């Protein structure tokens, strides 16, 4: 059966200029760092697609390009037919994006933030209120609805960020390290919810360096190293005879040997 491609990246490339301080820290004389280097992949409608790689592999940069937060130097990606390069506004209306780098303003409350972002996305008040009630109860945010972000725990901030990223009920959800920095209980709440979203027919792209998270949630995984997609296949196929961790480190060894 032919798969329905809903996210397609072709030749994505992104470089960043390094300051003298960054050059010293990274012990390099190069003035430019290649973060993503000609990345290609496809994600299918209704699947959870994982992007696995070590820190600095280019995972976050890739997702930031897909989410239109930064522009690629070259290449393009299409989200449900909309180009991140030529039609970023349409892309933003189609996706929900959550990153561990997202910092909520300390002064605001979950209630205010949910209403504010719902208005930005044009969500009708009656739809907003029903969705907020369900989501706040689901994640235990209702008791903290009028508590300022500054006074919330790390886990509650992450759950609030998650809920806010989904105010418009998007069909395509992009999560960068969704369980990063969370305690085991909060991480379990988030991973269970991701599975529920998939069961609702949502398409989820998530980056992580956690093997067990990929094995538990993902249908397919792309392994990224040095800004390149070095392997992309179904998790079932890759873990048929061995652990995903073994596959990953075998690839690392092969790349180091080149």
């Amino acid at each position: 059966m032919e798969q329905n491609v809903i996210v397609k990246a072709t030749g994505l490339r992104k470089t960043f200029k390094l300051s003298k301080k960054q050059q010293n820290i990274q012990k390099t004389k190069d003035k430019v760092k290649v973060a993503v280097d000609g990345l290609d992949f496809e994600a299918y409608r209704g699947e959870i697609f994982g992007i696995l790689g070590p820190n600095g592999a280019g995972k976050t940069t890739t997702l930031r390009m897909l989410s239109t937060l930064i522009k690629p130097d070259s290449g393009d990606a299409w989200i449900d037919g909309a180009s991140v390069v030529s039609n970023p506004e349409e892309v933003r209306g189609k996706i929900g994006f959550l990153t561990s780098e997202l910092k909520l303003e300390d002064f605001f409350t979950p209630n205010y933030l949910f209403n504010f972002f719902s208005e930005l996305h044009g969500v009708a008040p009656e739809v907003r209120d029903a969705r907020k009630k369900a989501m706040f109860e689901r994640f235990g945010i209702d008791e903290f609805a009028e508590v300022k972000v500054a006074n919330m725990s790390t886990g509650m901030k992450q759950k609030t960020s998650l809920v806010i990223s989904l105010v418009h009920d998007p069909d395509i959800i992009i999560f960068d390290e969704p369980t990063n920095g969370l305690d085991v209980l909060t991480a379990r709440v988030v991973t269970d919810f991701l599975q529920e979203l998939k069961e609702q027919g949502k398409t989820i792209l998530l980056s992580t360096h956690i093997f067990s998270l990929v094995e538990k949630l993902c249908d397919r995984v792309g392994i990224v190293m040095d800004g390149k997609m070095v392997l992309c296949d179904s998790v079932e196929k890759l873990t048929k005879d061995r652990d995903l961790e073994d596959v990953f480190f075998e690839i690392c060894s092969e790349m180091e040997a080149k």
Side-chain angles (χ1 to χ4, degrees), residues 23 60 93 132 137 147 166 168 182 196 210 218 252:
Q23 286 176 279
T60 293
K132 178 169 60 176
E137 288 178 357
V147 175
L166 303 177
H168 53 312
L182 299 182
E196 289 177 20
I210 303 173
C218 297
C252 287

Side-chain angles (χ1 to χ4, degrees), residues 109-126:
T109 66
N111 193 47
Y112 174 86
L113 289 167
F114 195 96
N115 291 349
F116 175 77
F117 283 99
S118 293
E119 186 174 349
L120 282 183
H121 283 284
V123 179
E126 60 274 13

Side-chain angles (χ1 to χ4, degrees), residues 30-167:
D30 296 334
K31 295 183 179 180
V32 174
K33 174 180 174 57
V34 180
V36 177
D37 191 9
L39 199 75
D40 301 324
F41 74 92
E42 295 178 345
Y44 305 138
R45 188 180 298 275
E47 77 170 348
I48 299 182
F49 182 86
I51 299 177
L52 176 67
N55 291 336
K59 304 187 303 297
T60 293
T61 301
T62 297
L63 296 192
R64 287 170 68 86
M65 286 190 284
L66 295 177
S67 303
T68 75
L69 294 181
I70 56 175
K71 286 186 176 182
D73 297 340
S74 58
D76 203 347
W78 293 266
I79 310 294
D80 196 17
S83 163
V84 301
V85 173
S86 61
N87 206 346
E89 289 188 5
E90 184 178 351
V91 170
R92 291 172 200 142
K94 293 175 178 287
I95 66 169
F97 179 56
L98 175 66
T99 172
S100 58
E101 296 178 352
L102 175 64
K103 305 301 180 187
L104 301 175
E105 290 291 339
D106 285 347
F107 180 78
F108 297 120
T109 66
N111 193 47
Y112 174 86
L113 289 167
F114 195 96
N115 291 349
F116 175 77
F117 283 99
S118 293
E119 186 174 349
L120 282 183
H121 283 284
V123 179
E126 60 274 13
V127 176
R128 174 202 68 199
D129 291 345
R131 190 170 294 155
K132 178 169 60 176
K133 183 176 185 298
M135 295 285 276
F136 277 24
E137 288 178 357
R138 173 70 174 75
F139 287 99
I141 301 172
D142 44 355
E143 297 179 14
F144 300 87
E146 294 299 337
V147 175
K148 290 182 180 179
V149 169
N151 298 323
M152 295 194 303
S153 67
T154 300
M156 189 56 63
K157 289 178 183 177
Q158 180 78 336
K159 288 190 284 189
T160 301
S161 298
L162 171 63
V163 165
I164 289 170
S165 71
L166 303 177
V167 294

Side-chain angles (χ1 to χ4, degrees), residues 51-57 59 177 207-210 222-225 248:
I51 299 177
L52 176 67
N55 291 336
K59 304 187 303 297
E177 301 282 2
S207 75
T208 185
H209 60 275
I210 303 173
I223 296 178
V224 177
M225 294 184 183
F248 180 84

Side-chain angles (χ1 to χ4, degrees), residues 2-26:
E2 186 177 350
Q3 298 282 4
N4 187 347
V5 176
I6 194 168
V7 178
K8 181 179 178 67
T10 302
L12 284 180
R13 180 178 170 85
K14 186 66 182 178
T15 60
F16 295 101
K17 291 182 179 178
L18 295 178
S19 66
K20 294 240 182 223
K21 182 177 180 181
Q22 289 171 320
Q23 286 176 279
N24 291 334
I25 292 173
Q26 298 184 23

Side-chain angles (χ1 to χ4, degrees), residues 240-253:
K240 185 176 181 180
D241 300 318
R242 50 190 169 159
D243 292 338
L244 182 60
E245 184 175 359
D246 293 335
V247 175
F248 180 84
F249 283 106
E250 181 179 301
I251 293 172
C252 287
S253 299

